[in-house]
Amino acid sequence: MLSDGHKPRRWYSGIRFRVTLTASLVVALTLLASGITLVMLLQQSLIASLDAVATDRAQTVASLAVTGDLGPTVTNTGSESSLVQVVDASNDVVAATSNIDGQEPILAQPPSASETTVLSLDRLSAGDGPFRVVAVPVQLPTGSGWVYVATSTIQVDSAVGNLAALFGIGLPLVLVIVVGAVWRAVGQVIRPVDAIRRRASVIGGEDLSQRVPVPDSSDEIASLAVTMNEMLERLEGAALRQRQFVGDASHELRSPLAALQVQVEVALAHPEDPGSALILGNVHGQVVRMSALIDDLLFLARSVEGAPRGSTGLVDLDDLVLSELHRLRELGGPAVELDGVRAARVEGSERDLARLLRNLGDNARDHARSLVSIRLTTTEKSAEISVTDDGDGIRPEDRDRVFERFTRLDDARSRTDLGGGAGVGLSIVRQIVQDHHGTVSIEDRSDSQAGAVFLVRLPLALNGGPSRS
Ligand SMILES: Nc1ncnc2c1ncn2[C@@H]1O[C@H](COP(=O)(O)OP(=O)(O)OP(=O)(O)O)[C@@H](O)[C@H]1O
Ligand SMILES: [Mg+2]
């Protein structure tokens, strides 16, 4: 079978197969080992009790033989079926039970050591073995001798054989049950995984609105599905923002390009017209504005993609504020005053922070009637930059909206038509402030005059070096 992905999945490489195989092997080995142990223990204990009974019997016969109370026939009591012989020093039978009467001695040679000896014999002339034989030395009235007691182990062997057969049948049966149960249980566990995989395989770059099924359990697989869905939600959001951005950006570039095209076509149609030089000047101005816009769009595109920012380091905000002040003054227009400046060092990108000041400065200059003022103060932990103008200000209900991309307030749209901005300056400001872990807000003027106050707070650098004032 092919897994929809890449590597062909073989029948033996699935989790279900591997878990079942491992579980079955463990169960089979455990059952086999315990079965063998049990059978061996049973055999040993049965033989031991057989030997104990035989020894007992031999000693009883021996005690009779010592006193001379034993006739030539030893009687078996009850259900006893052991073969008993009493032999003299030359291994000649002097007494025996009827079941071995007239037969050869059980042992061809008495044991060498004169003590109770237990051994196994495969067969005896009195019957088929195997047998356990107990030899007990005895002092007969005629001299030394031995009592031999032989007991057949056929019953022991059959009991042991029965148990082994029981295991032989039971083990495969148990194994079949284990294989079935494990196969089923693992199947149940991995079924939701398969459902997740199948759904995930059809979720493509175009349609991220689908979600993987979350199983109705509170296990690891359910939390995996929840995490995957959260990831899909983030991906969908990012893709949506990306699409919106591309759409907005194309829209913003289309109108100035169309205007350019018309002007160039007019100039081309009338090359000799002295107005063509004027058109060329216009075209140049618009190209400059468009390339600034493209620059802004690229900056925003990087932030949409979450790309890493450029180089960072310690930045003296006071230096940046002073250069922005000079830049604005050189541009002319409304007066630009410095309302105070303190030494403030922050950590971040000097280029981006200069861009932040430039965007706020441009806006203030565009909207001021006669005066723009800039101030840099510090608190214990942060630097505060305020850029104030005496224009119409921004209504409280618009104060969040203006930080969105491509937002221009109504009266500003008419300015745009006259060559104003695209409405990205403040979204760039917000992005840069966020990158520097700061905040930006729009306030009312403290002197209740008309106008807007943009207040940026940035955390001071922790290792700002020796402070200057
Ligand atoms: N100081 C201000 N006073 C009044 N309105 C402002 C001020 N600054 C910004 N705005 C309003 O917020 C809108 C968004 O500002 P933003 O800087 O994002 O765009 P823009 O200045 O129009 O164009 P861009 O900065 O992209 O060239 C502006 O169009 C304007 O309507
Ligand atoms: Mg602007």
Side-chain angles (χ1 to χ4, degrees):
M1 174 173 55
L2 273 188
S3 59
D4 304 324
H6 325 274
K7 262 190 173 172
R9 193 200 292 161
R10 297 185 211 292
W11 61 270
Y12 52 80
S13 65
I15 290 180
R16 197 176 191 181
F17 178 80
R18 278 183 287 154
V19 172
T20 309
L21 182 73
T22 312
S24 320
L25 276 179
V26 170
V27 170
L29 287 178
T30 312
L31 284 181
L32 203 68
S34 44
I36 291 174
T37 314
L38 203 67
V39 167
M40 281 170 62
L41 281 179
L42 180 77
Q43 189 181 31
Q44 274 171 14
S45 100
L46 286 178
I47 294 282
S49 65
L50 211 69
D51 290 347
V53 170
T55 310
D56 207 37
R57 173 106 170 102
Q59 274 162 357
T60 312
V61 171
S63 59
L64 286 175
V66 170
T67 53
D69 291 340
L70 201 66
T73 304
V74 181
T75 44
N76 261 334
T77 53
S79 61
E80 276 179 29
S81 59
S82 47
L83 314 171
V84 182
Q85 281 180 339
V86 181
V87 296
D88 61 13
S90 35
N91 209 31
D92 288 332
V93 179
V94 292
T97 45
S98 55
N99 50 10
I100 193 172
D101 194 21
Q103 306 275 335
E104 296 285 299
I106 291 172
L107 296 182
Q109 289 280 323
S112 49
S114 181
E115 58 190 19
T116 301
T117 309
V118 180
L119 42 100
S120 298
L121 271 187
D122 274 345
R123 52 172 292 109
L124 279 177
S125 50
D128 279 345
F131 289 91
R132 290 288 287 176
V133 178
V134 175
V136 172
V138 62
Q139 201 57 46
L140 301 173
T142 55
S144 64
W146 291 87
V147 177
Y148 298 150
V149 177
T151 321
S152 164
T153 60
I154 284 182
Q155 278 182 344
V156 170
D157 292 345
S158 92
V160 170
N162 283 347
L163 185 70
L166 209 67
F167 265 105
I169 299 166
L171 193 138
L173 254 176
V174 171
L175 213 57
V176 167
I177 294 171
V178 167
V179 167
V182 174
W183 183 261
R184 215 177 108 96
V186 178
Q188 273 171 357
V189 170
I190 60 173
R191 194 170 307 130
V193 176
D194 212 42
I196 292 172
R197 184 194 60 76
R198 264 184 279 124
R199 180 69 58 80
S201 69
V202 296
I203 299 179
E206 287 306 307
D207 180 18
L208 288 169
S209 63
Q210 292 195 57
R211 298 288 176 267
V212 298
V214 179
D216 194 16
S217 56
S218 51
D219 55 12
E220 291 85 348
I221 295 174
S223 42
L224 170 76
V226 169
T227 309
M228 279 184 81
N229 282 341
E230 286 167 359
M231 182 189 77
L232 282 170
E233 196 147 336
R234 285 196 300 275
L235 285 177
E236 189 186 16
L240 197 76
R241 283 196 299 278
Q242 192 102 32
R243 269 204 293 277
Q244 238 164 27
F245 178 75
V246 171
D248 289 347
S250 328
H251 180 76
E252 287 303 320
L253 287 171
R254 204 169 43 207
S255 346
L257 264 179
L260 270 182
Q261 188 182 355
V262 171
Q263 293 180 48
V264 170
E265 280 167 6
V266 169
L268 279 176
H270 309 283
E272 71 294 340
D273 191 331
S276 295
L278 196 68
I279 289 179
L280 212 58
N282 253 344
V283 167
H284 179 251
Q286 288 187 33
V287 168
V288 168
R289 256 201 307 280
M290 272 181 61
S291 69
L293 173 60
I294 288 172
D295 201 36
D296 285 348
L297 291 178
L298 281 176
F299 182 93
L300 285 176
R302 278 205 305 275
S303 66
V304 167
E305 285 162 9
R309 301 258 150 246
S311 63
T312 58
L314 290 176
V315 181
D316 287 322
L317 272 186
D318 40 329
D319 290 347
L320 294 186
V321 165
L322 291 177
S323 24
E324 177 58 19
L325 188 83
H326 291 136
R327 188 186 73 88
L328 288 174
R329 281 181 180 159
E330 267 171 29
L331 285 175
V336 185
E337 70 167 19
L338 184 63
D339 197 16
V341 65
R342 304 253 318 163
R345 193 168 273 183
V346 296
E347 194 155 350
S349 153
E350 179 164 352
R351 203 186 55 187
D352 288 357
L353 290 169
R355 183 179 203 136
L356 176 154
L357 288 174
R358 192 165 66 237
N359 287 3
L360 292 181
D362 282 343
N363 280 357
R365 184 173 163 275
D366 286 348
H367 294 89
R369 290 207 169 76
S370 58
L371 182 67
V372 173
S373 55
I374 303 181
R375 183 152 67 130
L376 170 60
T377 55
T378 53
T379 64
E380 196 190 338
K381 291 208 169 134
S382 51
E384 288 186 3
I385 306 167
S386 67
V387 180
T388 308
D389 64 66
D390 58 353
D392 292 337
I394 299 176
R395 285 175 303 173
E397 59 268 32
D398 292 328
R399 288 180 185 174
D400 277 339
R401 196 159 72 86
V402 287
F403 289 103
E404 301 295 326
R405 286 196 308 261
F406 306 112
T407 303
R408 288 164 297 213
L409 300 182
D410 286 339
D411 61 337
R413 185 163 287 281
S414 53
R415 287 167 185 263
T416 307
D417 296 339
L418 298 173
V424 291
L426 285 181
S427 57
I428 289 177
V429 166
R430 183 177 63 176
Q431 185 61 51
I432 294 174
V433 166
Q434 277 172 3
D435 291 345
H436 289 77
H437 313 290
T439 58
V440 56
S441 57
I442 301 173
E443 312 283 332
D444 288 322
R445 285 180 58 139
S446 55
D447 53 9
S448 20
Q449 303 277 317
V453 180
F454 279 83
L455 185 64
V456 174
R457 283 199 183 87
L458 296 171
L460 288 170
L462 287 179
N463 298 318
S467 66
R468 306 164 302 137
S469 54

